[in-house]
Amino acid sequence: MSAAAIHDDAAMAQASSGAVVLQATGVTMRFGGLTAVNNVNLTVSEGEIVGLIGPNGAGKTTFFNCLTGMYKPTEGQVTFQGTVLPPKPRAVVQAGMARTFQNIRLFANMTALENVMVGRYCRTSAMALTSILRGPKYRHEEEATRERAKQLLDFVGLSNTAEHLARNLPYGDQRRLEIARALATDPKLILLDEPTAGMNPKETEQAKELIFRIRDLGLAVVVIEHDMRFIFSLCDRVLCLVRGETLVEGSPVEVQRDPRVIEAYIGTPDEDEVDDEAAKEEHS
């Protein structure tokens, strides 16, 4: 069955019936006199895949940083499962929200398995003294963490790379490893910042299939991506930002056909260009 078929009506039904996981209301982020994000709203439900698109400099990653506690919004608020989240990344992760980054942030000199285990440690409870003494609780949790990390490496298709250093993995595998580490935190929502950047068509298709499988686990997914073919074939809804503001939000078909989105990406010809084209047609 193709990725598009997997994504079909069942996904839409699941998204429409799921409870709200994330709600961002009036999120604004200013840096001095620059307004990077202005009054942006976003609601994400269980089992829903939402795309976030826009030209370079539209404020997409800044908005992600506001959602995940890396920035404290100048105005507005972010609620996760009905609770207002503090602007602290650790608290956000423990609440059940995980993310990947536009620029890969792996521990280069650790193995793939160790990288995923690091993500899991936010769910362990062994205290410092227990860890130092390597008592029974520590050993039990460490073994459980290792097994879970192996399961997640298998889930993302990296089971054969467990003992490879992260820095030696191919670029596409590093992207998948970062997703596995995010999944190790047991999120209810995962935010992916350009997960297919630098990938070839085969790797991009594999990334799409992986995101569908993540959705099928019951997780909500928000994706920033510049590959429009990828985003429109993946998402239930798409939000387009331009200059930090919401331009349009709707189904992939609605957004794809909106002339404002087309203009935002490719612009409109100026009057001189239009006159030149008209002159060429007259003399042809």
Side-chain angles (χ1 to χ4, degrees), residues 22-265:
L22 174 73
Q23 186 151 19
T25 306
V27 171
T28 298
M29 188 69 214
R30 298 189 184 96
F31 300 97
L34 173 67
T35 301
V37 175
N38 186 29
N39 194 32
V40 175
N41 302 314
L42 177 66
T43 300
V44 184
S45 299
E46 292 176 349
E48 186 176 24
I49 303 176
V50 178
L52 188 60
I53 66 171
N56 289 331
K60 302 181 297 296
T61 295
T62 299
F63 184 54
F64 254 35
N65 289 340
C66 291
L67 297 179
T68 56
M70 307 222 21
Y71 294 157
K72 180 181 180 181
T74 308
E75 297 174 14
Q77 69 177 21
V78 178
T79 60
F80 184 74
Q81 295 186 315
T83 301
V84 177
L85 292 178
K88 299 178 180 178
R90 181 176 178 82
V92 169
V93 171
Q94 289 180 324
M97 192 188 310
R99 70 169 295 179
T100 64
F101 293 86
Q102 182 177 355
N103 298 315
I104 295 173
R105 298 188 183 183
L106 294 172
F107 297 102
N109 293 319
M110 294 172 64
T111 66
L113 182 66
E114 289 167 341
N115 267 274
V116 181
M117 291 176 69
V118 166
R120 187 67 186 166
Y121 287 138
C122 72
R123 300 298 176 197
T124 58
S125 59
M127 304 300 288
L129 182 59
T130 304
S131 300
I132 292 172
L133 297 177
R134 296 181 177 269
K137 183 176 182 179
Y138 167 83
R139 293 197 300 271
H140 174 75
E141 286 193 338
E142 189 73 0
E143 182 58 31
T145 296
R146 182 176 297 274
E147 288 305 311
R148 180 58 177 156
K150 289 179 180 179
Q151 292 171 4
L152 289 169
L153 284 175
D154 183 59
F155 180 79
V156 302
L158 295 177
S159 56
N160 295 329
T161 68
E163 301 305 323
H164 295 188
L165 292 180
R167 68 184 183 192
N168 294 333
L169 295 178
Y171 184 83
D173 287 356
Q174 290 186 18
R175 286 278 179 195
R176 287 189 285 165
L177 178 58
E178 197 172 34
I179 292 174
R181 186 177 61 186
L183 290 172
T185 67
D186 279 351
K188 300 295 183 182
L189 167 67
I190 185 168
L191 301 99
L192 307 175
D193 196 344
E194 298 197 25
T196 69
M199 289 187 178
N200 60 41
K202 181 179 179 181
E203 290 171 330
T204 298
E205 187 63 26
Q206 291 172 340
K208 184 192 297 184
E209 295 284 358
L210 175 58
I211 294 171
F212 285 149
R213 287 192 285 118
I214 291 171
R215 184 278 316 279
D216 291 341
L217 295 175
L219 276 65
V221 184
V222 183
V223 184
I224 292 176
E225 189 53 68
H226 284 289
D227 185 336
M228 293 297 97
R229 181 177 297 179
F230 174 83
I231 211 78
F232 289 135
S233 65
L234 174 76
C235 297
D236 303 304
R237 281 188 298 117
V238 177
L239 172 68
C240 180
L241 296 182
V242 173
R243 299 185 184 92
E245 298 184 349
T246 299
L247 179 67
V248 62
E249 180 180 8
S251 70
V253 172
E254 291 170 336
V255 174
Q256 190 172 12
R257 292 177 178 174
D258 194 301
R260 294 171 296 174
V261 175
I262 298 171
E263 180 180 345
Y265 273 94

